[in-house]
Amino acid sequence: MSITPEHEPAASEPQQPEPQQPEPQQPELQPSAAQPEQSSEAATVRETVLTRSVESGDARIRRAPKFGPFLIIGGGVGAIVTFILTMSFPADPGVGFGALFGYFSLFGVPAGVAIGAVVVLIVDRVSIRRSRAATVEHETVEPESYEGTLEN
């Protein structure tokens, strides 16, 4: 037969304190010169008193896109389109394909970045419309200030 309970209480449930049995009294020792007597004020333990303050407000929650990936992908798509357009036309033998592609990339890559920026702005506006209102609470816990002087 077991004396332990079948189900242990969860940590969040309040637990009843176990009754303590009185300890046998020991004879008091006389304070010696090596051990100074402690005053009753120094022997008391101060419990930390916490001050809690809660501020609440309204906020809008939405999934906003990151601008960086859209701009990078737009620049990459602009470079690929520039490459395809440069390949579709015959290159001047005196200049060469690499120089033509580099020159036209100066126009194609920024155009792709601009198109990526327009796309991310459109996606951002759509996410604003789909945002939801929520109530948020900010709880601050600070120790209460002590009055008087500090003792060593």
Side-chain angles (χ1 to χ4, degrees):
M1 189 187 294
S2 172
I3 59 171
T4 58
E6 186 172 318
H7 299 286
E8 292 290 324
S12 61
E13 294 179 10
Q15 297 179 0
Q16 296 292 332
E18 295 180 9
Q20 295 181 356
Q21 297 185 5
E23 296 179 10
Q25 292 189 0
Q26 297 177 356
E28 292 186 20
L29 300 175
Q30 297 293 329
S32 63
Q35 296 177 340
E37 185 177 329
Q38 293 181 351
S39 67
S40 62
E41 293 176 13
T44 61
V45 177
R46 292 187 185 180
E47 292 186 27
T48 305
V49 179
L50 300 177
T51 304
R52 295 176 185 257
S53 62
V54 178
E55 300 172 12
S56 62
D58 295 330
R60 305 281 305 170
I61 299 175
R62 66 184 180 107
R63 293 187 62 169
K66 294 186 178 185
F67 281 61
F70 279 89
L71 299 179
I72 291 171
I73 290 172
V77 169
I80 291 171
V81 169
T82 301
F83 182 76
I84 291 171
L85 288 176
T86 306
M87 291 257 322
S88 63
F89 296 103
D92 186 9
V95 176
F97 176 76
L100 282 176
F101 174 67
Y103 179 74
F104 287 125
S105 292
L106 293 174
F107 298 104
V109 173
V113 170
I115 291 172
V118 169
V119 170
V120 76
L121 288 175
I122 291 170
V123 171
D124 189 45
R125 294 292 177 208
V126 170
S127 73
I128 289 174
R129 289 186 197 140
R130 292 184 181 179
S131 65
R132 298 180 186 196
T135 302
V136 294
E137 293 181 352
H138 178 74
E139 182 177 2
T140 305
V141 179
E142 297 177 350
E144 194 172 279
S145 61
Y146 292 109
E147 294 179 10
T149 61
L150 296 177
E151 297 177 17
N152 292 334

